Amino acid sequence: MKKILMIGTGGTIASDVTAEGLAPELNTEQLLSAVPRIGQLCRVDCVQLYALDSTDLRPEHWLGIARTIRERYDGYDGFVISHGTDTMAYTAAALSYLIQDSPKPIVLTGAQKPIWFDGTDSKRNLTDAFLYACRGSGGVQIVFNGKVILGTRARKTFSKSFQAFSSVNHPELALIQDEHLLQYISCPSAPAPVFYDELDTSVGLLKLIPGTDPALLAYMLDRYDGLVIESFGVGGLPDYPGFYDALRAGVERGRLIVMTTQVPNEGSDLRVYHVGVRIKSTLQLLEAYDMTTEAAVCKLMWLMGQTRDFAQAERLFYRPVARDILYPAVAGQTS
Ligand code: ASP
């Protein structure tokens, strides 16, 4: 029988009603006792790492989860992390950079309804997650509502219904129906994972709206060493006064800037419009192309933990990790 380590972090799946709303109160053993089927699939050890709404999780918690997996990696066949859905896509992306090429499955799951609610999705998601941890392919993935989504490609796209997550700009890896695993894509892995233990958290995200004050861009480039800018459409920066100069000043101070789009699907291409070509051809910038914002933010934290040099950052950013970025090869982007 396979041996799986379950890591509890909180979230709705482990929540109970309190006077001030749902709050994570149940531990991993209590979750498992509500789903006896899991005991027939595998042997499970539990670690209760956090008991937090995922709104409260920060990069230090991502590092804590990665450290726990690293310390216990050899003793288990796979890992299941129970987690709140709200920031699960960020944790999945961060773990994809902190633990690369894992031959063993590392699975995140959670639920939209607590485990003791009638009609909860918790039991199905937990069972599917353990099933995938026993039989699925290596790497970091989210198992939710019968879908298996790459950790670098997940985004929460529904706030209430059971189909909470979508796979962005990449097909789902597998489906799980009535405990049958249909593995359409297996990600290649190495004989052993590569672990990283550093993230530089001086990274901000600026979402543009029509009329954004360029002083906000200047402030964020003052405040953060790395900045992801969610622009419009295929990407660009407003031509009205203030933006270009603020961006250039940031680049000249060594800030690492990633241009991306707030459009959910198909990604950026700064070469199309003047507002994109102007910045792309005159400033040292990175472009997220088909990456999710969650992955772009976490990849920037990961690479800034290793370098601040633009050429090295560019090489690391465009080198695909767990299929997080596929488009630069098509666009002829240097890497
Ligand atoms: N607020 C909860 C969390 O992310 C939502 C959930 O788990 O579905 O922890």
Side-chain angles (χ1 to χ4, degrees):
M1 223 183 202
K2 295 256 172 125
K3 212 173 151 199
I4 307 297
L5 182 68
M6 178 175 184
I7 301 171
T9 69
T12 293
I13 192 168
S15 284
D16 215 338
V17 175
T18 74
E20 292 166 341
L22 291 173
E25 307 252 307
L26 305 183
N27 62 31
T28 42
E29 272 96 1
Q30 288 169 307
L31 292 181
L32 283 178
S33 68
V35 199
R37 171 74 184 125
I38 291 169
Q40 299 164 344
L41 293 173
C42 51
R43 284 198 291 139
V44 185
D45 288 341
C46 293
V47 179
Q48 187 64 44
L49 210 49
Y50 315 116
L52 292 171
D53 190 295
S54 73
T55 305
D56 282 328
L57 292 175
R58 299 183 294 280
E60 68 210 55
H61 299 109
W62 305 337
L63 289 167
I65 298 170
R67 201 178 313 118
T68 303
I69 294 175
R70 179 181 203 158
E71 285 165 3
R72 306 200 175 202
Y73 194 82
D74 293 338
Y76 295 91
D77 299 300
F79 302 85
V80 170
I81 302 153
S82 60
H83 194 290
T85 60
D86 291 345
T87 66
M88 192 188 292
Y90 278 97
T91 303
L95 292 179
S96 303
Y97 298 111
L98 292 170
I99 310 170
Q100 298 186 20
D101 294 323
S102 169
K104 300 179 183 177
I106 298 168
V107 180
L108 292 110
T109 199
Q112 295 280 53
K113 298 274 179 252
I115 201 151
W116 53 270
F117 270 36
D118 283 346
T120 179
D121 52 339
S122 302
K123 294 178 186 177
R124 180 199 183 176
N125 288 344
L126 262 188
T127 310
D128 287 352
F130 277 95
L131 194 126
Y132 199 79
C134 292
R135 302 188 204 149
S137 76
V140 178
Q141 33 250 317
I142 288 180
V143 171
F144 211 94
N145 196 41
K147 295 185 206 164
V148 182
I149 298 171
L150 258 179
T152 53
R153 292 291 181 172
R155 173 169 296 160
K156 186 170 181 181
T157 48
F158 291 87
S159 60
K160 295 176 183 169
S161 51
F162 288 173
Q163 77 239 32
F165 290 93
S166 300
S167 185
V168 175
N169 297 332
H170 194 282
E172 289 149 14
L173 298 185
L175 294 179
I176 304 172
Q177 282 166 346
D178 300 327
E179 295 194 14
H180 295 296
L181 172 61
L182 309 168
Q183 182 89 50
Y184 297 124
I185 303 170
S186 292
C187 286
S189 58
V194 182
F195 288 97
Y196 293 83
D197 54 13
E198 212 159 321
L199 293 170
D200 185 330
T201 58
S202 182
V203 170
L205 171 64
L206 173 62
K207 178 172 183 160
L208 297 184
I209 60 168
T212 294
D213 184 343
L216 190 56
L217 175 63
Y219 170 77
M220 291 196 80
L221 285 167
D222 240 16
R223 172 71 184 71
Y224 294 106
D225 294 335
L227 184 64
V228 177
I229 301 175
E230 264 196 0
S231 173
F232 312 112
V234 289
L237 200 72
D239 253 348
Y240 57 81
F243 270 101
Y244 184 83
D245 290 345
L247 198 65
R248 195 188 56 212
V251 170
E252 283 168 1
R253 284 207 310 280
R255 301 303 193 237
L256 289 172
I257 295 156
V258 178
M259 293 300 300
T260 189
T261 175
Q262 49 196 265
V263 178
N265 292 293
E266 299 178 346
S268 70
D269 190 348
L270 290 171
R271 298 166 310 169
V272 178
Y273 295 101
H274 168 77
V275 287
V277 171
R278 182 177 182 220
I279 54 170
K280 179 98 175 181
S281 60
T282 57
L283 300 174
Q284 286 197 324
L285 299 169
L286 302 167
E287 180 172 355
Y289 293 107
D290 58 318
M291 293 178 84
T292 64
T293 295
E294 292 86 338
V297 165
C298 294
K299 197 171 198 177
L300 197 52
M301 288 186 186
W302 166 73
L303 71 81
M304 282 170 51
Q306 300 168 66
T307 186
R308 288 295 175 86
D309 173 72
F310 182 80
Q312 285 182 38
E314 186 180 42
R315 191 180 51 76
L316 288 172
F317 191 78
Y318 290 128
R319 183 173 65 82
V321 174
R323 300 185 186 206
D324 61 342
I325 184 165
L326 302 176
Y327 191 69
V330 181
Q333 179 70 52
T334 51
S335 59

